[in-house]
Amino acid sequence: MSAGDHGLGASPPSGRAVPHTLFIADLHLCAEHPQTTRIFKDFLRNTAIFAESLYILGDLFEYWAGDDDLTDPHHAGVASALAELSRGGTAVFIMRGNRDFLIGDKFAQAAQARIASDPTLTDLYGTPTLLTHGDTLCSGDTGYLAFRDKVRAPSWQSAFLARPLAERKAEIEALRQRSEADKSLKSEAEMDAQPDAVAAALREHGYPRLIHGHTHRPARHLHQIDGHDCERWVLGSWHDHGSYLHCDASGCRAIRL
Ligand code: LP5
Ligand code: MN
């Protein structure tokens, strides 16, 4: 049903000649890993600048405690690098991930970016393409999904954001530890996208191409759903090295930085 082929390592296509759109996810940027942030800023200036659009499909940041954290010079530097890209003519779209779902309008404004809903169905050079962070495809991770339901409730979010920034950050640090401990008890299979959830998403949206991140398992999968052939691209995390997906009218290819 699904054939993995990470396809990483192809040569980067160059220039603006062929209109194209880039996709990235799971960068987990933070001040503690300045090298990743440097690579990201170089990618914006040297590569993304040639694209029509850049989609960040969640988890741009290690975590996001609220837009008042833009006072952090690291976070403000990321926003201004995105704004520079946007001013250069590349449309920037940000989807919220499970780590930065508290990104709000103030951040979007600072980055001159548009927030993309999760999921988003778009026409990518003639190919219907469904974009999602990917966490909701992991339907076997019931503990996480119960937690997700709670923290995505607007009432929970407004109460959380009303608390002092330092308190929020301390709580998130505790949650990170809890999450790491919980993950060590879960199987790899449990934390992967589930075939049923993938099929349901593809069926619901008319059998498009699917692009998502979250699982950190870069691959190209081919699914046959109800007789329709659907391509699913999983984006890589930027933990060891940067990577992006380049899509134009001829298709998509994964590129390692
Ligand atoms: O991110 P990753 O890939 O390492 O792990 C995820 C799931 N974990 C998370 C937690 C985040 O990593 C923590 C940072 C989020 C910051 C958000 C800011 C605002 C929220 C602040 C809340 C206090 O998303 C992990 C998945 C994994 O992906 C694979 O899919 O397994 O899920 C977990 O480990 C979650 C646990 O299983 C359940 C945790 C319950 C904790 C309850 C604490 C009470 C919090 C109060 C909420 C009402
Ligand atoms: Mn994620």
Side-chain angles (χ1 to χ4, degrees):
M1 161 154 187
S2 160
D5 162 20
H6 64 64
L8 285 173
S11 311
S14 56
R16 275 193 199 270
V18 178
H20 59 276
T21 291
L22 305 183
F23 297 88
I24 54 175
D26 301 295
L27 291 88
H28 296 184
L29 301 181
C30 59
E32 290 69 31
H33 293 102
Q35 176 69 359
T36 311
T37 303
R38 250 191 313 274
I39 292 169
F40 172 63
K41 289 181 178 175
D42 287 348
F43 162 76
L44 298 184
R45 288 198 193 103
N46 302 326
T47 305
I49 191 65
F50 297 112
E52 290 192 314
S53 305
L54 170 69
Y55 281 86
I56 302 167
L57 297 186
D59 292 357
L60 172 63
F61 291 104
E62 173 71 0
Y63 67 77
W64 192 254
D67 284 359
D68 49 345
D69 210 5
L70 270 168
T71 49
D72 180 321
H74 171 270
H75 296 350
V78 169
S80 84
L82 287 167
E84 188 185 317
L85 177 69
S86 178
R87 281 194 299 273
T90 300
V92 178
F93 296 89
I94 297 184
M95 187 175 280
R96 301 175 174 106
N98 61 295
R99 285 163 174 251
D100 54 13
F101 62 84
L102 290 175
I103 282 179
D105 291 342
K106 272 195 188 134
F107 177 79
Q109 206 171 8
Q112 294 191 22
R114 277 172 266 177
I115 301 283
S117 307
D118 186 356
T120 287
L121 182 65
T122 186
D123 181 308
L124 202 56
Y125 310 108
T127 302
T129 303
L130 185 66
L131 311 173
T132 178
H133 177 55
D135 50 337
T136 57
L137 300 173
C138 303
S139 51
D141 197 344
T142 50
Y144 166 68
L145 290 175
F147 164 74
R148 186 185 193 280
D149 275 353
K150 274 188 202 156
V151 299
R152 296 300 177 106
S155 54
W156 183 88
Q157 291 190 6
S158 43
F160 186 69
L161 290 171
R163 293 165 56 188
L165 179 60
E167 222 180 85
R168 273 178 270 148
K169 285 184 159 188
E171 183 138 3
I172 290 171
E173 292 296 346
L175 173 63
R176 287 284 319 125
Q177 286 181 20
R178 165 84 186 266
S179 174
E180 287 304 309
D182 285 3
K183 283 195 313 184
S184 70
L185 302 173
K186 297 176 193 174
S187 69
E188 288 295 311
E190 200 178 341
M191 291 188 285
D192 202 357
Q194 300 300 311
D196 286 359
V198 170
L202 292 171
R203 194 172 285 124
E204 183 185 342
H205 293 92
Y207 311 101
R209 172 203 278 146
L210 174 59
I211 303 176
H212 71 86
H214 183 65
T215 61
H216 303 184
R217 299 175 211 205
R220 173 179 178 265
H221 299 274
L222 294 173
H223 297 272
Q224 201 178 60
I225 314 288
D226 309 335
H228 299 262
D229 290 324
C230 301
E231 186 182 39
R232 173 167 69 100
W233 286 95
V234 187
L235 305 173
S237 82
W238 283 42
H239 186 67
D240 295 322
H241 56 81
S243 60
Y244 63 96
L245 190 70
H246 172 117
C247 298
D248 60 28
S250 69
C252 297
R253 46 206 178 279
I255 293 161
R256 178 187 169 133
L257 286 170

